[in-house]
Each structure stands twice: as C-alpha cells, then as structure tokens.
Amino acid sequence: EVQLVESGGGLVQAGGSLRLSCAASGFTFDEHAIGWFRQAPGKGREGVSCISSYDGTIYYGDSVKGRFTISKDNAKNTVYLQMDNLKPEDTAVYYCATDCGPTTHQFNGVIVFWGSWGQGTQVTVSS
C-alpha cells in the first residue's frame, strides 16, 4: 500500500520560509516521479513541482519558480520542498504525490499528477 506522509506545514509571515517533508513507503521510491501539488480554498489543484524518475529533470510551476526548491533523498524515501520568500497567495494545503510530469513536450509550466497522494499539510502565509 502506497503511503505518503507530509509534514512541515504551518503559519508563517510573508517573506518567510518553510520546509515540507514527505515520507514515502509502499512502492519503489526511485522508480517513480514524485512531487508536490497544492490546493487553496475554492480553487483547483495546482502543480507546484515534480522530479522525474527517468533523468532527474525538475519542473516548477510558474508561480513558484525561483522561490521553491524540490529535492529528494532516495536512501530515506523522502522528498522535500523548500519554500522561500513565501507570499500570501501560497496559502494552501500542500500534497505530496507520485507519478507527475509536464503535459506537453515543451514544458509550459503546467504539472499534472496521476498517482497517489498523502493527506496534505496546511501552509498559511500571513501578510
């Protein structure tokens, strides 16, 4: 059974930083792309970042590029999301999820997810 357990969310002021972690189990970690999406109240799912399992290519959504950094530790089956210079519009529930990637050959900033996801962790950024 796939399990993804997120942690590290919280309340932070605009301009601050948070580091999210996702502990994964139940599947071969380094054989699957993995990343993060978020969902704000009343809005749809937004792909934040994804690491390809094929060649390690990293994708970022346009709204977070330059501020967020994704990384993973295959030995610990853990993926991280370092979020810097946070903005109120980053407020959302953040989900760790498997099997992700771009929708087009030429990446257009949109990341989709088609695997499993965790329960999410709340990130709230105050202005």
Side-chain angles (χ1 to χ4, degrees):
E1 179 189 1
V2 174
Q3 285 198 326
L4 299 162
V5 180
E6 302 95 337
S7 60
L11 173 64
V12 64
Q13 286 190 329
S17 298
L18 283 174
R19 188 192 195 206
L20 305 184
S21 299
C22 171
S25 61
F27 63 101
T28 306
F29 184 75
D30 58 0
E31 292 184 359
H32 289 259
I34 193 163
W36 299 85
F37 67 85
R38 67 187 182 186
Q39 189 158 19
K43 295 190 176 181
R45 182 187 298 186
E46 178 188 8
V48 173
S49 186
C50 171
I51 297 180
S52 165
S53 61
Y54 175 65
D55 58 4
T57 300
I58 291 175
Y59 303 95
Y60 292 105
D62 287 343
S63 61
V64 306
K65 195 171 183 179
R67 299 187 297 120
F68 290 11
T69 304
I70 192 171
S71 61
K72 66 173 184 170
D73 185 333
N74 287 336
K76 295 183 178 180
N77 285 7
T78 301
V79 61
Y80 305 96
L81 186 68
Q82 177 67 41
M83 306 186 295
D84 297 318
N85 190 22
L86 282 159
K87 304 176 181 181
E89 51 264 42
D90 294 318
T91 295
V93 178
Y94 284 70
Y95 298 87
C96 171
T98 66
D99 305 310
C100 51
T103 58
T104 58
H105 228 44
Q106 190 83 9
F107 183 52
N108 61 359
V110 177
I111 304 167
V112 292
F113 293 78
W114 59 92
S116 304
W117 58 91
Q119 84 288 348
T121 185
Q122 176 71 46
V123 171
T124 302
V125 184
S126 63
S127 57

